């Protein structure tokens, strides 16, 4: 049984929050640069240049690359042979978020009640925490600051099995089309197919943390990812929705077995600032 | 790409007439921030017949909630937020003489109609480029609703703030014409 202290968890989450907001992962930056050459629109080219300059400047200055430093979505993969000592795991994660968003000069964007008060909690807590128990004696922490501009454009549909592949494609394309310029294109499209209502949405969000350039292991889904990316980039929404060739940078599909009577499909969009950082304790 | 037109706030009717969808502009002068919660407060005040904390006549509102300023800097990262969330409020402020809005993403028919009626322009800034945009902000201070934190109304002094005219006062709309131009049939 390995012991991991809450003190260590607080420190790690704090650093991940700051790192995620200020330092875009290299693979995402490379993905953006890879697509830059395909853009034909003058505004699109200008926007790509600004995006890349912004990534480099934010990294150099250790400043948030986008003012929407998001709600902190925190994935915890807790090894079943790990013993957390020193207090509550959830409290430790929230304390890390509190310290990271304060010390990193990140925006506090969380309101306490969604409908009635909508009062800012002042420290970006609580985080949205997803915990999974896995084999082993490690704790993997992934912090995904999720901005609302792209989050608001996500959607879920419970399809009938008879709607099949055509229904899945149609729903994904429809969701991206309706999102238009709102989610800060070029976007990364996270898709969750299967499971239940909540499982599909979880898969769609998790898909956004996949390393850029990686594909679904099943060649049929890999092909579907490529086909959808091509279709989406034919929509000509373009960078920031002002028209152009590059609307999406990647389509990431995650799947799970499902019930005989259903075919859930969830789409979670991410802006080009597809921020996430992870650490293993 | 079009030459960059330099404009200074407050905006005149002549400034507005000179701006066309697809123009690149560089804005200098004073602009005000405001997003969801501030708009709700402002519009509630108008409906209640109360005075507004800022006179928006001939001014520009920038839809943004900045990150906190680091020591020695006037502001943190400050890129535009999605404008569509302000669509239900914007016509009220346009009626009071607001001349410009800076944000990202398309606007509703009602907002575009109010822009045509009152002579106003919608500028797009680049979403997700908040760190470089902050370099054109020289000074910032909160002028209303400090309790809203990042959603407070700030008075910003900007120099060469880069934008694109996305929708002009005649209703020409780059979100439609730009996409149409690159459509693959």
């Amino acid at each position: 049984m390995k012991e991991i202290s809450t003190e260590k968890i607080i420190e790690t989450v704090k650093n991940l929050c700051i790192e995620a907001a200020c330092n875009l992962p290299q693979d995402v930056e490379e993905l953006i640069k890879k697509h830059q050459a395909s853009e034909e629109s003058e505004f699109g080219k200008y926007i790509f240049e600004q995006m890349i300059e912004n990534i480099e400047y934010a990294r150099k200055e250790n400043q948030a690359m986008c003012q929407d430093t998001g709600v902190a979505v925190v994935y915890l993969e807790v090894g079943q042979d790990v013993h957390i000592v020193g207090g509550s795991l959830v409290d430790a994660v929230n304390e890390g978020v509190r310290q990271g968003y304060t010390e990193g000069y990140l925006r506090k964007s969380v309101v306490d009640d969604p409908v009635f008060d909508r009062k800012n909690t002042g420290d970006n807590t609580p985080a949205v925490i997803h915990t999974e128990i896995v084999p082993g004696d490690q704790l993997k922490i992934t912090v995904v600051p999720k901005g609302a501009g792209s989050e608001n454009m996500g959607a879920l549909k419970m399809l009938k099995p008879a709607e099949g592949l055509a229904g899945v494609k149609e729903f994904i394309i429809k969701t991206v089309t309706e999102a238009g310029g709102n989610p800060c294109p070029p976007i990364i499209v996270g898709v969750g197919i299967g499971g239940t209502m909540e499982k599909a949405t979880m898969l769609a969000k998790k898909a956004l943390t996949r390393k850029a350039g990686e594909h679904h292991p099943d060649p049929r889904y890999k092909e579907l990812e490529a086909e959808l990316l091509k279709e989406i980039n034919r929509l000509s929404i373009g960078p920031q929705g002002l028209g152009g060739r590059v609307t999406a940078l990647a389509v990431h599909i995650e799947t799970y077995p499902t019930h005989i009577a259903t075919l859930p499909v969830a789409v979670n969009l991410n802006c080009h600032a597809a921020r996430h950082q992870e650490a293993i304790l | 790409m079009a030459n960059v037109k330099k404009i200074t706030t407050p905006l005149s009717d002549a400034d507005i007439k000179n701006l066309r969808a697809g123009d690149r502009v560089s804005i200098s002068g004073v602009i005000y921030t405001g997003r969801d919660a501030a708009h709700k407060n402002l519009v509630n005040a108008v409906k209640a017949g109360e005075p507004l904390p800022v006179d928006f006549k001939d001014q520009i509102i920038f839809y943004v909630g900045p990150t906190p300023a680091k020591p020695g800097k006037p502001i943190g990262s400050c890129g535009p937020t999605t404008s569509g969330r302000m669509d239900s409020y914007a016509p009220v402020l346009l009626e009071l003489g607001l001349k410009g809005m800076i944000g990202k993403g398309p606007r509703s028919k009602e907002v575009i109609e109010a822009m045509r009626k009152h002579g106003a322009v919608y500028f797009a800034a680049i979403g997700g480029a908040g760190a470089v945009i902050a370099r054109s902000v020289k000074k910032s201070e909160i002028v209303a609703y400090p309790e809203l934190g990042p959603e407070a109304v700030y008075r910003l002094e900007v120099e060469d703030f880069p934008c694109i005219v996305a929708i002009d006062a005649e209703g020409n709309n780059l979100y439609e014409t730009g996409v149409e131009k690159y459509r693959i049939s």
Side-chain angles (χ1 to χ4, degrees):
Chain A
M1 182 74 70
K2 184 165 112 183
E3 291 195 341
I4 298 177
S5 71
T6 49
E7 204 177 313
K8 182 80 189 156
I9 293 166
I10 293 169
E11 182 71 13
T12 304
V13 170
K14 176 182 96 172
N15 292 336
L16 288 174
C17 288
I18 299 172
E19 180 79 2
C22 305
N23 186 2
L24 191 71
Q26 211 73 44
D27 59 299
V28 180
E29 185 179 354
E30 279 162 21
L31 186 70
I32 292 171
K33 288 179 173 167
K34 191 184 105 181
H35 283 272
Q36 187 179 17
S38 335
E39 188 49 68
E40 293 170 17
S41 126
E42 289 298 320
F43 284 131
K45 287 181 191 172
Y46 167 68
I47 291 163
F48 263 100
E49 283 166 19
Q50 292 293 303
M51 274 158 47
I52 291 165
E53 187 184 344
N54 187 67
I55 292 164
E56 290 165 358
Y57 181 73
R59 190 179 285 144
K60 180 170 76 78
E61 296 282 316
N62 201 32
Q63 180 180 344
M65 61 179 296
C66 175
Q67 75 292 336
D68 189 351
T69 48
V71 58
V73 179
V74 180
Y75 291 94
L76 301 172
E77 290 178 32
V78 188
Q80 62 193 32
D81 297 324
V82 168
H83 180 208
I84 310 286
V85 294
S88 141
L89 174 59
V90 169
D91 289 349
V93 169
N94 281 323
E95 183 56 29
V97 168
R98 184 175 292 121
Q99 291 183 12
Y101 276 72
T102 306
E103 292 175 30
Y105 295 90
L106 309 182
R107 197 180 78 187
K108 290 77 181 175
S109 311
V110 174
V111 291
D112 58 356
D113 176 90
V115 177
F116 296 105
D117 306 321
R118 291 193 73 86
K119 186 175 178 302
N120 199 304
T121 61
D123 58 10
N124 220 51
T125 68
V128 172
I129 304 172
H130 301 299
T131 310
E132 194 182 349
I133 306 292
V134 299
D137 64 355
Q138 293 181 327
L139 169 61
K140 183 176 167 191
I141 306 175
T142 307
V143 172
V144 186
K146 189 65 171 73
S150 57
E151 189 72 0
N152 280 343
M153 297 295 131
L156 166 80
K157 193 165 185 196
M158 306 301 285
L159 298 178
K160 296 181 183 78
E163 293 178 84
L165 177 60
V168 169
K169 285 199 256 188
E170 191 190 330
F171 175 63
I172 296 166
I173 297 290
K174 182 171 169 268
T175 303
V176 173
T177 306
E178 285 174 1
N182 289 306
C184 276
I187 52 175
I188 294 179
V189 182
V191 180
I193 311 176
T196 47
M197 205 170 115
E198 86 287 4
K199 182 71 181 176
T201 58
M202 294 279 291
L203 290 171
K205 171 138 288 121
K206 198 73 188 279
L208 297 173
T209 64
R210 187 198 289 173
K211 204 168 163 47
E214 285 181 3
H215 303 281
H216 194 287
D218 182 330
R220 295 168 301 176
Y221 285 105
K222 181 182 173 185
E223 201 178 309
L224 182 58
E225 288 173 347
E227 186 191 332
L228 284 166
L229 180 62
K230 210 170 156 190
E231 276 301 306
I232 288 166
N233 285 333
R234 285 173 63 91
L235 296 174
S236 66
I237 294 166
Q240 296 291 318
L242 298 174
R245 295 282 169 248
V246 188
T247 302
L249 302 166
V251 177
H252 293 170
I253 299 175
E254 295 285 327
T255 54
Y256 197 80
T258 192
H259 188 279
I260 47 175
T262 192
L263 175 46
V265 185
V267 179
N268 196 187
L269 303 180
N270 209 116
C271 57
H272 55 87
R275 298 157 289 180
H276 51 91
Q277 290 289 340
E278 60 184 52
I280 294 174
L281 302 181
Chain B
M1 189 154 26
N3 288 333
V4 180
K5 290 183 178 169
K6 284 182 175 285
I7 55 172
T8 305
T9 60
L11 300 180
S12 65
D13 289 331
D15 289 328
I16 297 296
K17 278 200 182 104
N18 187 34
L19 294 172
R20 286 274 169 278
D23 285 347
R24 274 185 65 190
V25 293
S26 161
I27 301 170
S28 296
V30 169
I31 63 175
Y32 294 92
T33 75
R35 49 173 294 152
D36 309 61
H39 272 76
K40 189 179 176 188
N41 286 0
L42 290 169
V43 169
N44 283 346
V46 172
K47 283 181 182 162
E50 292 162 8
L52 294 187
V54 172
D55 180 4
F56 290 108
K57 189 170 160 35
D58 300 333
Q59 301 296 338
I60 293 177
I61 290 188
F62 177 21
Y63 300 144
V64 61
T67 59
K70 283 189 167 182
K73 295 213 176 181
I75 200 165
S77 294
C78 56
T81 192
T82 309
S83 307
R85 293 195 317 275
M86 268 53 77
D87 280 355
S88 60
Y89 304 116
V92 176
L93 298 179
L94 290 165
E95 199 172 337
L96 295 177
L98 180 73
K99 281 274 196 297
M101 299 160 284
I102 305 172
K104 68 174 175 84
R107 306 307 303 264
S108 69
K109 279 195 194 102
E110 291 74 17
V111 172
I112 297 172
E113 197 39 56
M115 287 167 56
R116 290 167 64 133
K117 187 174 168 195
H118 302 291
V121 169
Y122 172 54
F123 304 96
I126 300 177
V132 296
I133 289 173
R135 296 188 298 203
S136 32
V137 177
K138 302 303 167 192
K139 207 176 154 191
S140 88
E141 59 171 327
I142 294 180
V143 291
Y145 315 133
E147 69 281 5
L148 297 180
E151 295 201 79
V153 175
Y154 289 71
R155 178 186 186 275
L156 306 182
E157 287 178 24
V158 300
E159 262 176 47
D160 296 325
F161 185 103
C163 286
I164 296 164
V165 177
I167 306 173
D168 63 30
E170 288 181 7
N172 298 305
N173 185 348
L174 198 56
Y175 291 102
E176 287 173 359
T177 56
V179 173
E180 197 52 46
K181 187 171 167 188
Y182 293 93
R183 188 175 300 285
I184 300 166
S185 49

